[in-house]
Amino acid sequence: MKRKILVVKEGGGGFSFETKCLLEKIEDNYDLYFLVPQDREKNETISSIKEFEIPKITSIYDKSYIHTILAFLKCILATINILRKSDYHAVICIGSSVAVPVFIASRFCGLKTVFIESITRINNISKTTSLLLKLRVCDRIYVQWKPLACAHSKLIYKGSVL
């Protein structure tokens, strides 16, 4: 029986492309499920029984700190609710800031977490990676450029996802 992996699936852009590349490499070995951050203004639909909606924590439409904090807390609670319903082995996220609340929730549920820094991060790590390192909510953080692995002892370089 394949292990269940929960993957954060962004709707578009570079993170989506990088996630697709990763999934092509691991889909035969794992039973994949997806957390799909939803922007309340876009109202996208979930297309599969293996996809679960969670609140998006940032939006170009909403600049309010209060709304962002509430969305952050809602994201944690929604993720915990999803994680409690099945026996997932790990949670994976590429580049997206939603990794922070999702990984906090994953820690509460005792799951392994893997963050992959975006390939566009060439010279320095993202604020998301910095925060994950400070909060210690991530088991593994992979960077896709060898020089970035020197930025912190917890950063791992194993080559590019692409």
Side-chain angles (χ1 to χ4, degrees), residues 15 34 37 81 86 91-93 123 127 132 146 154-155 160:
F15 299 148
F34 302 94
N81 191 35
S86 192
V91 181
I92 299 173
C93 182
N123 298 318
K127 289 180 184 177
L132 291 171
K146 195 171 188 172
K154 293 278 189 178
L155 299 177
S160 172

Side-chain angles (χ1 to χ4, degrees), residues 93-161:
C93 182
I94 295 182
S96 175
S97 61
V98 78
V100 177
V102 167
F103 287 1
I104 289 171
S106 299
R107 275 290 187 245
F108 282 124
C109 296
L111 293 176
K112 294 179 181 176
T113 54
V114 177
F115 184 77
I116 302 170
E117 183 70 273
S118 173
I119 197 162
T120 62
R121 289 295 176 166
I122 298 170
N123 298 318
N124 52 32
I125 59 174
S126 66
K127 289 180 184 177
T128 300
T129 296
S130 296
L131 193 53
L132 291 171
L133 289 167
K134 285 178 187 171
L135 295 174
R136 298 180 185 167
V137 293
C138 196
D139 293 300
R140 299 224 172 175
I141 300 177
Y142 291 95
V143 293
Q144 298 187 63
W145 297 97
K146 195 171 188 172
L148 285 184
C150 299
H152 193 281
S153 63
K154 293 278 189 178
L155 299 177
I156 304 164
Y157 173 76
K158 295 283 185 178
S160 172
V161 169

Side-chain angles (χ1 to χ4, degrees), residues 15 51 74 79 101 110 112:
F15 299 148
E51 293 184 346
K74 286 180 185 177
T79 303
K112 294 179 181 176

